[in-house]
Amino acid sequence: MYSTKHKSVIKIIALDLEGTLIASANNPVPRPGLYQFLQWCKKNFKQVVIYTCVDEPIFRSIANKLVINEAVPSWFREIKYVEWDGMIKDLYNIDGIEPEQAIIVDDMEIFISENQKSQWIEIKTFDFPYPEDDNEFIRVANAIREKF
Ligand SMILES: [Mg+2]
């Protein structure tokens, strides 16, 4: 389903939560293919981090439920949570790397730093009516492989 080989400087993939991996914190419907996409990320990047507007305790609670429901791999419980100011998802906030070593998958352009748009992979917002034939994760994985 996914290509597994890609050689690049990219070390980290940062993932938005709401509208990207799940519908919303209040209604955490997993996007179709979430489990497989996360495993693909784990296999192809040195680190996978979560970069979300949702407060960490709420995120951890959602992550725990997703693990219990087997919607995500168990390592998702311990995923690194990026601290930020809630305005711009600046890739400088990710420890130990330069922005050009990271990519961010997010449905909202307004959170992306103007000078880091080259590192942004846009994903269509996942929301009601939660289409079961959504294949954005496959499109995104292919886009990452082609671009980086
Ligand atoms: Mg979002």
Side-chain angles (χ1 to χ4, degrees):
M1 182 162 67
Y2 293 124
S3 167
T4 54
K5 284 239 180 353
H6 79 92
K7 293 189 175 110
S8 73
V9 299
I10 305 297
K11 292 191 162 81
I12 286 193
I13 185 164
L15 304 172
D16 170 46
L17 182 68
E18 294 181 294
T20 295
L21 302 186
I22 61 170
S24 70
N26 289 331
N27 201 2
V29 181
R31 175 171 235 145
L34 177 58
Y35 194 110
Q36 294 88 341
F37 178 69
L38 290 171
Q39 290 295 65
W40 178 83
C41 291
K42 188 80 169 171
K43 189 170 177 181
N44 284 277
F45 298 90
K46 287 211 170 89
Q47 197 181 6
V48 187
V49 301
I50 196 89
Y51 211 150
T52 176
C53 298
V54 176
D55 287 345
E56 185 167 9
I58 296 168
F59 166 68
R60 295 291 173 200
S61 163
I62 292 167
N64 194 45
K65 282 175 199 152
L66 290 169
V67 169
I68 289 166
N69 293 335
E70 298 180 352
V72 298
S74 57
W75 58 260
F76 191 72
R77 263 194 191 111
E78 285 85 42
I79 192 170
K80 164 92 176 141
Y81 178 98
V82 179
E83 302 284 351
W84 62 304
D85 62 7
M87 301 293 288
I88 294 288
K89 294 182 179 179
D90 191 334
L91 298 175
Y92 278 109
N93 289 326
I94 303 174
D95 293 339
I97 51 122
E98 296 296 318
E100 57 270 21
Q101 295 175 300
I103 53 177
I104 179 164
V105 180
D106 202 302
D107 63 316
M108 300 286 276
E109 185 170 10
I110 55 161
F111 289 119
I112 308 301
S113 176
E114 200 56 50
N115 57 10
Q116 295 173 359
K117 290 245 164 97
S118 60
Q119 308 309 110
W120 174 47
I121 301 288
E122 184 174 12
I123 189 165
K124 197 175 151 202
T125 302
F126 182 66
D127 203 351
F128 185 82
Y130 322 116
E132 285 175 28
D133 61 351
D134 177 288
N135 60 7
E136 278 289 279
F137 284 139
I138 292 170
R139 187 190 62 73
V140 160
N142 287 332
I144 290 169
R145 192 202 57 209
E146 279 164 28
K147 191 172 175 190
F148 295 98

